[in-house]
Amino acid sequence: MDLSEQKVCVIGAGIGGLTAALALRQLGARVCVLEQAEAIKEVGAGLQVSPNGLAVLRGLGLASHLEARSVKAQAVELRDYAAGRLVAHLDLGLIKAGTPYHFVHRADLIDLLAQAVRAAGIKILLLQNVETVHPGRGGERARVVMSNGSEMRADLVIGGDGLHSRLRGVLNGTVAPFFTRQVAWRAIVPNTMRHGNLVQVHMGPHRHLVSYPLRGGTMVNLVAVQEQAGWAEEGWHHTDDPQNLRRVFNDFGGDARALLGEVTEVSRWGLFRHPVAPVWHQGNCAILGDAAHPTLPFMAQGASMAMEDAWVLRDALERAGTLSEGLAAYQTRREERVKRVVDAASKNAWKYHLANPVVRTAAHMGMRLATTFAPKKLMGQFDWIYSHDVTKP
């Protein structure tokens, strides 16, 4: 399909939306991005870009820019909560894909994508609060309706507007998510404890704490998760008192104690499970990233899945004879993979939260033996995620 001079409107200047905007612009489309915020500013915290996500950035000519702004990961260390005793060391150099993780501040990844988008001649329109979208049928263009009543028409509208996507609701209706009985805190602290270039996971009864460095190793990203019976609201824009975080994890030792002691600002949010959307496209519209398949953070694949979506959407449209054929091929090519990733993430947390001392001791012994005698096999279980390269034919 020839996208030259086709008008594409991308809703949302997040990772998926900006990646899609750049990818489609490289096929000749006239692209604009609608963002409801007043500025593309530093929000969020750290994220991990695994080899499958880096492959997309490489395909777009941005891999070196990511590497310049990120920390290259060397390993994942699993540690017991009480004294920080090492349970397992997972060497990321053993990943079959041959390229380790990169740790990057979300704002830095957004910034490099936004710079590339603007350099490609794409306008990012701020303060654009989308009310609804009319997908368009029978040759009609799609219509994006703003909360102030203004409209924009496009040959293709992409919903990259995240968890509460307007376009997802248009295509699928509203389905209430369910609470996973887990809450999380997120914070960034100075790296005063010489945290290495690795992920540390401190595992305790009904809780775990993840940490890894950012911005040249000067900062450390923290995500702390606790099992909890109830929660009122979704989202991570809920500030909390750092003392509440320290109180919940007051029996964690080793580096975890030092990291928690550095927290001065923290956000807290409930973890909800959303179903993968059954409908990803209709008329002249499609959704991607969290708008299509929100995932829990326990496989660190949210950003990489959104970037994979954007590349496959571009490729499917380029190969198709018509827009409808391309959008259908896009969902077909992505749906099974993202469902598998979402499911893997949903099942991963329990491994860190073992409460029975006997069970936990046995499980930790098994991890130690595996990393000592079969490290390649242990890392190989993730090959289906990390070695997947959507940019290769």
Side-chain angles (χ1 to χ4, degrees):
M1 178 184 174
D2 184 8
L3 290 181
S4 298
E5 297 307 309
Q6 294 283 301
K7 184 175 181 180
V8 177
C9 176
V10 178
I11 305 172
I15 292 167
L18 291 173
T19 305
L22 186 60
L24 295 174
R25 178 69 187 121
Q26 290 181 345
L27 294 182
R30 294 185 293 115
V31 186
C32 71
V33 179
L34 306 181
E35 169 56 43
Q36 66 178 351
E38 63 181 1
I40 305 296
K41 56 187 178 180
E42 183 161 311
V43 295
L47 55 84
Q48 301 174 37
V49 178
S50 49
N52 49 305
L54 187 63
V56 175
L57 293 173
R58 185 179 298 112
L60 295 173
L62 298 177
S64 62
H65 297 275
L66 184 279
E67 290 167 354
R69 295 181 179 224
S70 64
V71 175
K72 184 177 289 188
Q74 298 173 345
V76 176
E77 288 186 348
L78 305 180
R79 294 182 173 272
D80 185 66
Y81 76 104
R85 181 188 178 194
L86 182 65
V87 173
H89 179 91
L90 310 178
D91 183 356
L92 291 173
L94 298 177
I95 291 176
K96 184 178 178 182
T99 306
Y101 269 76
H102 288 263
F103 306 135
V104 63
H105 196 295
R106 182 181 183 275
D108 293 340
L109 179 54
I110 291 286
D111 184 59
L112 78 86
L113 287 168
Q115 286 184 21
V117 161
R118 288 178 171 129
I122 299 169
K123 289 184 178 180
I124 301 176
L125 305 178
L126 304 173
L127 294 172
Q128 302 298 306
N129 190 4
V130 174
E131 182 69 27
T132 190
V133 180
H134 299 279
R137 295 180 180 84
E140 292 183 357
R141 302 173 95 191
R143 288 190 297 124
V144 180
V145 181
M146 311 299 175
S147 59
N148 63 5
S150 64
E151 294 187 2
M152 178 178 292
R153 295 177 182 267
D155 299 297
L156 174 62
V157 174
I158 304 299
D161 46 343
L163 198 61
H164 302 291
S165 167
R166 293 291 191 183
L167 184 51
R168 176 186 169 113
V170 170
L171 302 183
N172 294 273
T174 301
V175 178
F178 66 87
F179 181 52
T180 63
R181 294 180 177 269
Q182 296 178 95
V183 296
W185 290 263
R186 189 190 296 273
I188 294 180
V189 301
N191 189 3
T192 59
M193 67 296 301
R194 297 183 180 179
H195 196 297
N197 293 356
L198 47 80
V199 180
Q200 284 192 357
V201 183
H202 289 79
M203 305 175 293
H206 307 293
R207 294 156 296 158
H208 76 275
L209 180 116
V210 178
S211 62
Y212 53 86
L214 298 173
R215 291 182 169 166
T218 62
M219 309 169 84
V220 178
N221 187 72
L222 295 182
V223 178
V225 179
Q226 175 200 23
E227 294 175 13
Q228 179 177 299
W231 181 261
E233 292 185 80
E234 255 189 298
W236 52 269
H237 295 286
H238 306 290
T239 58
D240 196 14
D241 186 338
Q243 286 300 114
N244 292 333
L245 170 62
R246 283 188 277 269
R247 184 167 52 251
V248 172
F249 290 84
N250 66 353
D251 54 346
F252 276 50
D255 285 349
R257 182 175 297 277
L259 289 164
L260 291 166
E262 293 287 347
V263 176
T264 58
E265 295 182 358
V266 65
S267 297
R268 182 170 179 257
W269 79 108
L271 299 179
F272 284 72
R273 175 77 185 268
H274 294 251
V276 174
V279 179
W280 292 25
H281 65 94
Q282 186 183 105
N284 295 15
C285 296
I287 52 177
L288 53 70
D290 281 351
H293 47 80
T295 182
L296 296 174
F298 304 128
M299 289 299 293
Q301 282 296 301
S304 291
M305 287 298 105
M307 291 189 289
E308 283 190 6
D309 284 352
W311 185 277
V312 173
L313 175 62
R314 160 202 166 128
D315 187 65
L317 291 173
E318 186 177 23
R319 293 169 181 266
T322 66
L323 179 65
S324 60
E325 289 174 2
L327 296 181
Y330 154 65
Q331 179 170 351
T332 297
R333 288 170 57 180
R334 292 299 294 158
E335 193 166 16
E336 182 179 350
R337 175 166 169 79
V338 299
K339 283 182 176 179
R340 189 178 178 190
V341 169
V342 168
D343 189 53
S346 299
K347 293 177 179 177
N348 213 32
W350 72 269
K351 300 175 185 177
Y352 304 146
H353 292 185
L354 298 174
N356 185 297
V358 175
V359 173
R360 185 169 65 251
T361 299
H364 288 188
M365 178 63 72
M367 293 179 195
R368 289 191 183 97
L369 291 172
T371 56
T372 301
F373 297 105
K376 288 186 177 179
K377 182 177 180 180
L378 188 64
M379 293 306 299
Q381 66 182 304
F382 305 114
D383 281 346
W384 66 275
I385 295 179
Y386 305 141
S387 296
H388 191 78
D389 187 345
V390 295
T391 69
K392 292 183 177 178

